[in-house]
Amino acid sequence: MNTTPSIIPSGIDWFPVVLSLKVAAVATVVALVLGIALGWTFARKRFFGRSVLEAVCMLPLVLPPTVIGYAVLVAAGRRSPLGRWLRTHLDYTLIFTWHGAVVASAVVALPLVVKSASAAFAGVDRTLEAAASTLGQSRAGVFLRVTLPLAWPGILAGALLAFARAMGEFGASLMVAGSIPHQTQTLSMAIYDAVQAGKDDLALVLVLVTSVLSVAVLVASNRFFSLR
């Protein structure tokens, strides 16, 4: 009989891990769609207020996460015009749901995609786009068949960084979604709750899990950056 003690606590709840992966995946998709549009705009367009808009998009990198969470609450909370409309017409609220964690995570991850996408689009050879235009491609065709594929390695690298950032989000998500077991408790919140409850063995396992996942994502991101 094997009497070696297990380093994994018995009865560990893997729900926070699964929820964190789901929240991070959906948040990354949201940040990717917005980030590609904003990154292309910043790389190719010059307009009044561009620098201010770009600075606003970068704010989540420097602002405390609690400020981002508060901003989401003001914009989509139950007392906001949007929150009241959602509650009245759809009987839905963003607050204290995993969707709220997605919104908060997408906001904090967006700058990583925007910066990577902007640099990737700026590095695309414009002569290749011009050649595609002379061959009869529309603007949309040039973007989908030439610009986006050439910029994709850099964009994907930024998306992987955004995924890692969203997976580790704590402050903003806690304010918007809370830490409700089996509902909104993500991995970072579960680690905090375990430490507060004195469950150091559980906290250690969850820290190791999030560290392994983060290292894997960062290694993949570095490989895509090297393809640029």
Side-chain angles (χ1 to χ4, degrees):
M1 180 181 296
N2 185 11
T3 59
T4 303
S6 174
I7 63 172
I8 299 179
S10 59
I12 186 172
D13 184 8
W14 294 102
F15 176 84
V17 179
V18 176
L19 180 62
S20 291
L21 292 173
K22 181 169 71 171
V23 168
V26 178
T28 300
V29 172
V30 175
L32 187 61
V33 173
L34 296 176
I36 288 176
L38 290 169
W40 183 88
T41 301
F42 294 145
R44 299 297 179 87
K45 300 294 182 181
R46 297 292 181 269
F47 53 89
F48 178 77
R50 172 183 173 273
S51 59
V52 175
L53 178 59
E54 190 171 5
V56 170
C57 291
M58 295 298 110
L59 274 179
L61 288 178
V62 296
L63 286 177
T66 50
V67 175
I68 303 301
Y70 180 74
V72 175
L73 286 176
V74 171
R78 291 174 180 147
R79 296 182 180 179
S80 68
L82 175 60
R84 286 196 298 268
W85 186 89
L86 290 173
R87 191 172 183 180
T88 301
H89 294 85
L90 302 178
D91 192 26
Y92 171 79
T93 179
L94 189 69
I95 310 305
F96 297 123
T97 67
W98 72 274
H99 302 127
V102 167
V103 173
S105 298
V107 172
V108 299
L110 179 62
L112 298 172
V113 181
V114 172
K115 211 65 177 173
S116 298
S118 180
F121 284 128
V124 172
D125 190 348
R126 303 289 289 272
T127 59
L128 298 177
E129 296 175 328
S133 296
T134 60
L135 294 175
Q137 290 290 333
S138 63
R139 288 187 177 181
V142 171
F143 178 80
L144 293 175
R145 292 183 173 89
V146 179
T147 308
L148 189 58
L150 290 175
W152 188 245
I155 295 173
L156 187 55
L160 289 172
L161 290 177
F163 180 86
R165 178 66 183 86
M167 190 172 59
E169 169 52 33
F170 178 75
S173 297
L174 183 62
M175 290 194 67
V176 176
S179 181
I180 307 173
H182 289 275
Q183 292 187 42
T184 65
Q185 188 185 56
T186 58
L187 188 53
S188 56
M189 298 176 194
I191 293 171
Y192 178 82
D193 291 342
V195 172
Q196 292 298 306
K199 300 178 180 179
D200 293 339
D201 52 349
L202 174 60
L204 177 59
V205 171
L206 295 178
V207 166
L208 291 175
V209 170
T210 189
S211 298
V212 169
L213 291 173
S214 297
V215 168
V217 172
L218 291 175
V219 169
S221 177
N222 288 336
R223 289 190 176 183
F224 280 108
F225 267 124
S226 66
L227 296 176
R228 292 175 51 189

